[in-house]
């Protein structure tokens, strides 16, 4: 828990939607600064002062700025320990928890972006993710036992992966296998996820006006 104000710099239907879902799941108090990236609001000087990369999400925690979706996940899940979404430091499952969060940013996203653009990863040994199939099979193996990445225990890693698999399967960047579809559905049906999605869709609709 924290007394500091939390502000999420958010654009609907983007990577910041995952953070919005996590904030709802944690029951965290927060305010939104909504940016319309279709109008390049992320490139305005006021926002570049927050994130010089001109990317969402960004989180302001008091005076501190956190960028990068996975860093924000780690920070928020630790900030609200009562929600139980982050294994504590020293807990054996903290290692696998960190593994799956980092694997998302370090292997899964680069593999999918390369695939979407038709870029070959090049020599396996030179690619940070090996190859696309290795990433997909590693994830499938990680989810095979279930119901969550850490087994019976839900964590912030599942909020990230469950929401991401929803849209990556919709874009056919991830094969539509039961192991992925069942898991994505399990996460999508959570009340906090439904609530966050409704908020996100309302914001997206407002930006169309
Ligand atoms: N590595 C960043 C990537 C963030 C990112 O690419 N965000 C997209 C939205 S999903 C964005 O801000 N796009 C606007 C732009 O690049 O101008 C993270 O994981 O947070």
């Amino acid at each position: 828990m924290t007394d500091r104000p939390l502000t999420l710099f958010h654009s609907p239907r983007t990577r910041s939607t995952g953070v919005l879902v996590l904030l709802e799941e944690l029951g965290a108090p927060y305010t939104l600064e909504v940016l319309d990236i279709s109008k390049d609001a992320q490139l305005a000087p006021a926002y570049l002062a927050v994130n010089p990369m001109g990317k969402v999400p960004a989180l302001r925690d008091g005076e501190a700025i956190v960028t990068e979706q996975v860093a924000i996940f780690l920070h928020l899940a630790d900030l609200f320990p009562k929600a139980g979404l982050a294994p504590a430091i020293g807990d054996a499952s903290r290692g696998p928890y960190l593994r799956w969060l980092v694997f998302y940013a370090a292997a899964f996203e680069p593999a999918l972006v390369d695939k979407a653009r038709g870029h070959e990863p090049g020599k396996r040994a030179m690619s940070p993710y090996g190859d696309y199939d290795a990433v997909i099979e590693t994830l499938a193996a990680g989810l095979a036992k279930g119901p969550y990445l850490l087994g019976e225990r839900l964590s912030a890693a599942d909020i990230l992966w469950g929401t991401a698999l929803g849209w990556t399967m919709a874009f056919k960047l991830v094969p539509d296998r039961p192991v992925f579809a069942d898991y994505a559905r399990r996460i999508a049906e959570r009340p906090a996820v439904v609530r966050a999605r409704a908020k996100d869709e309302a914001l997206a609709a407002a930006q169309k006006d």
Side-chain angles (χ1 to χ4, degrees):
M1 192 57 188
T2 175
D3 291 338
R4 298 182 301 266
L6 295 173
T7 304
L8 173 64
F9 294 87
H10 172 66
S11 297
R13 296 181 179 163
T14 70
R15 286 173 177 86
S16 62
T17 300
V19 180
L20 182 63
V21 170
L22 180 66
L23 284 162
E24 289 289 333
E25 192 67 55
L26 291 167
Y30 64 92
T31 54
L32 292 179
E33 283 269 347
V34 182
L35 287 87
D36 188 343
I37 62 171
S38 73
K39 298 201 168 85
D40 281 347
Q42 76 282 17
L43 302 177
Y47 186 65
L48 291 176
V50 173
N51 184 1
M53 294 291 287
K55 298 273 187 189
V56 290
L59 179 81
R60 189 166 51 216
D61 173 352
E63 298 296 311
I65 297 290
V66 191
T67 68
E68 299 302 317
Q69 180 177 204
V70 170
I72 297 171
F73 263 68
L74 283 161
H75 182 64
L76 286 174
D78 283 342
L79 212 49
F80 294 92
K82 282 201 184 130
L85 292 184
I89 292 174
D91 186 320
S93 57
R94 177 90 179 173
Y97 167 72
L98 296 176
R99 171 203 178 186
W100 288 114
L101 282 172
V102 174
F103 183 72
Y104 179 86
F108 182 75
E109 277 211 355
L112 261 63
V113 170
D114 278 351
K115 186 177 172 61
R117 292 170 145 187
H119 290 176
E120 285 301 322
K123 279 183 79 173
R124 217 197 77 82
M126 294 295 287
S127 158
Y129 62 82
D131 59 49
Y132 172 84
D133 288 344
V135 171
I136 295 299
E137 295 314 325
T138 299
L139 179 61
L143 289 172
K145 185 160 170 263
Y148 303 115
L149 283 162
L150 303 182
E152 293 298 324
R153 177 173 185 175
L154 176 83
S155 74
D158 298 301
I159 305 305
L160 178 73
W161 278 99
T163 51
L165 283 177
W167 69 263
T168 52
M169 276 193 298
F171 282 102
K172 303 208 179 309
L173 294 171
V174 169
D176 187 1
R177 296 188 198 165
V179 66
F180 300 138
D182 293 349
Y183 174 74
R185 195 175 315 111
R186 207 171 297 137
I187 301 301
E189 286 171 352
R190 297 181 62 76
V193 182
V194 172
R195 209 163 54 235
R197 289 253 171 245
K199 271 194 188 182
D200 202 49
E201 285 310 308
L203 291 169
Q207 287 188 341
K208 279 198 188 127
D209 297 342

